[in-house]
Amino acid sequence: MTSFKMTRRHFGFLAAGAAATAAMPFAARATGGSVIAATFPGNWEDGYRSVLTPLVKEAGYDLTVAPALAQDQLAKVMASPGNPPYDTLLMSPGQMAVAIENDIIQKIDPSKLKNWSMLDPAFQGEYGPTVTVEVNGIAYNPDLVPRPKGYRDLFENPAYKGLVSWTGFASNTGVMAYTEIAKIFGSGPTDMEAVFKLFKDHPEHLKGVVASTNHQMTLFQQGEVAVFMCSTGNVAKLKALGLKAEFVQPETGSPAAPVNIHLTKGSKNVDAAYAYMDAAISKVAQDQLKMPPREMFPTNRQVELTPGIGAYVTRAQLASLVYPDWAALNKNRPEWIRQFDALVAG
Amino acid sequence: MKASGFPYVIPMLLLSVAFFATPLAVLIGFSFIGPEGVGFHNYARFLGDAFNYRVLINTAKLGLQTIVSTTLLGVPIALLYWHSGKTARQVIIFLTLIPMLTSNVVRTFAWIVILGRQGPISETFVALGLAERPFTLMSTELGLVMAMCQIDLPLIILPLIAILSRIPVTYTEAAQVSGAGPWRILVTVLLPMMLPGLLAGWILVFASTSASFVTQAVIGGARNIYVPQLIYREVGTLFDWPMASAIAVVLLLSTGILLVAMTMISRHRRLVGHA
C-alpha cells in the first residue's frame, strides 16, 4: 500500500490555508441588517426565497429563509429562550396557540406595515398577518384510483386498498383530516377513539402511515401511494412537476388553516422582520405567489384570484370552510400522538 | 513515561470536558426533572410502557441485523482487496469511499427508488417470475436493513482492510502447503486474524445504525419506530425535553452496554493473540 507522507512544510501550508479560508470576508450585506425567517420547506421555501428576497432587499434588508416545519420552529425557539434562532415564524393557528402559551411570539405594531390595510380584518391578527389560507382535502392519482368522494370512501371503497397514505398526529394536515373523520365515524371532532378503531378495523391503512406530507409527496412521485391528505399547494407542486395529481374537496367540507407570520420574542432585527412581513402581504409578492407551482391563496384584497385557485375556493367561500378548534385539539394532541404511534407500530 | 506524555493530552481533555462531558451531564440532569419534581419519574414512565420496551429491543435488533449483513458483504470485499494488485486495490478503496462522500440523506432517498414498487428489486423479481405483482420494500424492516447495510458497509470494510494490509498473503499459502482447504483457511487462519478489525467495524456499524434517524424515519416509515424517532417526537412534537433526555440516557446506556461488551471482547488476550 502506498504510504501517506506529509512534511512539516506541507502541514504548515494546509493549516495556513484553512486559517485563511476561515478569515475570508463575508459577502456584501445590506446596510439595514438582516432577518432570519422560518418558512415551511419545499414550495414555501422556494417561493419566499425567490419572491421576497428582492423585495426585502429593496427595503434595505437581507432576508435569510430558513426551512423548518412549524413544530420544529417551535422546538428550536423554545430551546433558546432570549436568543431565538429565527426573527419570524410561519405557522398555523395550531402552533400559534402553543407559541402564545409559551410566550415566544409578540404582538405586532400594524403601523409599521404599509400593506396592512390591504388585508381583510380576518387576516389582521394581533400576533401577525395571515399570508395565505391553506385549503385541505384529498390528493389522488387519476391514473391509479377513481376520484374519491370523501374520507368515508377511502375506507369503504376497495379501489383504495393499500394505496392511501396518512401521517401521524404531529402533522396539522393529518390532524385536520382526522377531526373530519372523527365527525363522520364518531361523535365529534375530538372523538379520536372512533378514528383509532377505524384504523384497527382497516389495518391496510396503517401500512401507509409516514412522518410528513413532504414524505408522502415523495412516495406519490414514485407511485408508491395514490392518495394522501393534502393542501391545494401540495397538489399544485405535484402538477408543476408533471405528475398526475388532482385535488378533491371532501363531501363533508374542506378543512382550512390560515398561515400567519409571527414576530419572535427577543428578535434582534425587528425592523427587518417588519420589512419581511410587509413584503409577504404586498400585492407584488402575492401576485407572484398565487401562480403555479405555489398557488397560494392571496390574502391581499387587491390581488385577483387565478382560475386555478378559484376552482378550489373563492373569497366568498372562505367563511364556509372548516376551521378546527385548535385549542381543544392541542389539549389532547400529545396523547393522540402517542396512541396513534403505538397503534401504527402494531 | 506516563508523566511526560500527560501535558500533551490536556487540550484534548479540556475539550472533552467542555463539549462532551458537560453537555452529557446536563442531559442526564435534565432527565430527572419533571412536572412531579426531581426524581426517576421520566424513567418510570418510559420503562413502564411495553411499547417503549419493544422500540428499545427493535433498535438493538436493527443494529445486530445490520452487523450481520455488513459482515457477510464486507468480509469478501476485504479479502478481495487483500488478494488484489495495486490498481484493483485503489479501485476497491475508491468504490468503498464514494458512498461516504455522498450525504446520508441523498443515499437514503436513492433507496426509496430502489426499494419501491417500480424499483429494480421489484421489477427483477416480477421479470424472473418470483413475484406475481410488483411489491414494495419501503416501510419494511427488510428494506431498512438493506439500506442500512449499504450505508454502513464502509465502516466495516475500512477496519478490515487496515488489519489485512499488515498481514502477508503468504500466510494462506503456508496453510495451503500444510494441507488446509479454503474453508479451513478462512475459519482457522483468516477470521481469527481479522477479528480485531471485525469487532472495530461492528462497534462502528452498531453505533451508526442505532442512531441513524433519517434512514430509520424515511425507509422504515411510521410502522418501524426506533429510539431516535421517539427522542425526536418528544423534543420536536411534544416538547417534553426531560422525557427526551431520559430516553436518550436509556439509549446511551443500552447501546453503551453492548459496545462495551464488544470492546472487551476485542481486547481479550486470546483473541488479540491470534492477530
Side-chain angles (χ1 to χ4, degrees):
Chain A
M1 213 179 157
T2 314
S3 59
F4 177 75
K5 285 179 186 166
M6 180 176 274
T7 62
R8 268 183 297 181
R9 180 173 294 182
H10 287 146
F11 182 77
F13 282 141
L14 192 69
T21 310
M24 275 172 75
F26 290 107
R29 294 211 171 271
T31 50
S34 68
V35 52
I36 299 172
T39 67
F40 308 141
N43 235 1
W44 278 88
E45 178 194 353
D46 295 343
Y48 268 38
R49 187 169 287 138
S50 59
V51 173
L52 299 189
T53 305
L55 296 175
V56 176
K57 191 97 180 166
E58 266 176 37
Y61 302 97
D62 278 322
L63 169 64
T64 302
V65 173
L69 294 172
Q71 290 289 119
D72 292 338
Q73 295 174 32
L74 276 177
K76 284 179 185 166
V77 176
M78 285 161 74
S80 29
N83 186 26
Y86 309 113
D87 295 303
T88 64
L89 306 178
L90 186 75
M91 45 185 58
S92 302
Q95 280 80 21
M96 184 181 84
V98 180
I100 293 170
E101 196 183 320
N102 285 278
D103 200 26
I104 60 173
I105 56 173
Q106 54 184 305
K107 289 181 181 172
I108 62 156
D109 176 2
S111 68
K112 293 190 173 179
L113 300 173
K114 284 181 292 188
N115 295 301
W116 184 252
S117 60
M118 307 296 172
L119 300 174
D120 276 324
F123 299 139
Q124 294 176 330
E126 58 179 344
Y127 281 94
T130 299
V131 289
T132 190
V133 176
E134 285 204 326
V135 180
N136 280 25
I138 303 169
Y140 74 102
N141 181 335
D143 284 351
L144 298 177
V145 287
R147 185 180 200 277
K149 292 189 199 102
Y151 302 109
R152 183 184 286 277
D153 217 12
L154 301 179
F155 289 91
E156 293 181 351
N157 186 340
Y160 302 108
K161 198 172 177 180
L163 293 170
V164 185
S165 179
W166 302 90
T167 54
F169 278 77
S171 148
N172 283 351
T173 305
V175 170
M176 284 194 273
Y178 296 136
T179 54
E180 290 303 293
I181 294 170
K183 283 188 212 166
I184 299 167
F185 291 93
S187 57
T190 56
D191 183 9
M192 291 305 161
E193 286 306 319
V195 177
F196 298 149
K197 183 179 179 308
L198 186 68
F199 274 92
K200 274 183 203 160
D201 294 342
H202 297 82
E204 71 276 8
H205 281 268
L206 292 172
K207 289 179 187 161
V209 180
V210 298
S212 70
T213 309
N214 284 341
H215 189 180
Q216 289 178 315
M217 289 169 73
T218 308
L219 296 175
F220 192 91
Q221 277 180 281
Q222 297 299 322
E224 292 295 304
V225 298
V227 181
F228 69 99
M229 308 313 116
C230 68
S231 69
T232 54
N234 299 137
V235 174
K237 177 73 179 176
L238 290 169
K239 280 184 170 174
L241 293 169
L243 292 157
K244 284 282 186 68
E246 295 298 337
F247 178 84
V248 176
Q249 292 208 24
E251 56 193 351
T252 46
S254 272
V259 181
N260 313 315
I261 296 180
H262 301 296
L263 182 60
T264 318
K265 218 163 204 176
S267 162
K268 292 177 181 65
N269 306 290
V270 175
D271 290 339
Y274 275 112
Y276 159 69
M277 276 188 208
D278 206 33
I281 57 172
S282 68
K283 182 176 185 305
V284 62
Q286 296 206 351
D287 265 332
Q288 294 175 69
L289 293 167
K290 71 178 184 182
M291 303 306 290
R294 289 137 199 155
E295 294 198 347
M296 290 182 192
F297 186 94
T299 51
N300 185 315
R301 272 196 306 253
Q302 292 185 325
V303 181
E304 296 281 325
L305 298 191
T306 62
I309 293 175
Y312 298 139
V313 65
T314 62
R315 287 193 195 280
Q317 288 172 325
L318 277 180
S320 66
L321 298 174
V322 183
Y323 295 95
D325 177 1
W326 286 103
L329 296 177
N330 282 345
K331 214 163 55 183
N332 299 305
R333 207 167 172 181
E335 194 43 45
W336 291 338
I337 289 172
R338 290 195 173 102
Q339 270 184 274
F340 193 68
D341 282 357
L343 176 67
V344 172
Chain B
M1 189 178 149
K2 276 180 195 168
S4 65
F6 184 70
Y8 297 104
V9 298
I10 288 176
M12 192 61 227
L13 209 60
L14 290 175
L15 282 173
S16 296
V17 168
F19 299 112
F20 178 71
T22 308
L24 193 64
V26 171
L27 180 90
I28 294 168
F30 222 62
S31 71
F32 292 106
I33 301 168
E36 305 93 339
V38 179
F40 288 90
H41 314 288
N42 295 317
Y43 292 96
R45 244 171 77 206
F46 180 75
L47 297 172
D49 189 337
F51 170 70
N52 295 334
Y53 265 119
R54 213 172 61 233
V55 172
L56 210 54
I57 290 166
N58 284 348
T59 308
K61 202 172 109 194
L62 177 69
L64 295 173
Q65 285 170 325
T66 312
I67 281 179
V68 171
S69 52
T70 47
T71 306
L72 290 175
L73 283 175
V75 168
I77 295 171
L79 288 174
L80 181 67
Y81 171 90
W82 192 44
H83 282 284
S84 299
K86 194 180 166 191
T87 311
R89 282 186 170 198
Q90 282 172 344
V91 171
I92 291 168
I93 287 281
F94 178 72
L95 292 176
T96 304
L97 289 177
I98 268 239
M100 294 190 86
L101 303 176
T102 319
S103 152
N104 188 22
V105 177
V106 174
R107 281 184 282 170
T108 298
F109 278 89
W111 272 98
I112 293 179
V113 180
I114 296 168
L115 298 172
R117 270 194 188 88
Q118 294 156 9
I121 297 173
S122 165
E123 292 198 343
T124 306
F125 269 70
V126 172
L128 293 173
L130 297 170
E132 281 182 26
R133 59 180 76 86
F135 60 90
T136 181
L137 288 168
M138 284 293 297
S139 301
T140 64
E141 202 176 42
L142 175 63
L144 180 58
V145 172
M146 287 167 70
M148 290 306 319
C149 174
Q150 186 269 331
I151 288 167
D152 288 342
L153 196 56
L155 300 181
I156 204 154
I157 292 179
L158 294 176
L160 282 179
I161 284 178
I163 291 277
L164 287 171
S165 299
R166 299 204 304 263
I167 302 168
V169 184
T170 47
Y171 275 33
T172 54
E173 291 165 3
Q176 270 176 328
V177 169
S178 307
W183 284 110
R184 185 151 189 183
I185 293 173
L186 179 70
V187 175
T188 59
V189 180
L190 293 176
L191 282 181
M193 287 194 299
M194 289 159 72
L195 207 53
L198 270 176
L199 286 164
W202 290 346
I203 289 167
L204 292 173
V205 168
F206 187 85
S208 164
T209 304
S210 53
S212 180
F213 172 74
V214 174
T215 314
Q216 288 171 3
V218 174
I219 305 291
R223 265 185 96 73
N224 299 290
I225 298 181
Y226 300 97
V227 178
Q229 285 150 281
L230 280 189
I231 296 171
Y232 177 78
R233 186 185 74 179
E234 295 297 330
V235 172
T237 308
L238 302 174
F239 310 121
D240 189 348
W241 296 345
M243 185 62 174
S245 305
I247 302 173
V249 172
V250 171
L251 176 68
L252 199 69
L253 286 176
S254 52
T255 54
I257 289 167
L258 281 166
L259 293 178
V260 167
M262 284 191 218
T263 310
M264 284 170 75
I265 292 169
S266 71
R267 287 181 182 170
H268 195 278
R269 207 184 306 155
R270 283 181 65 183
L271 291 173
V272 176
H274 279 291

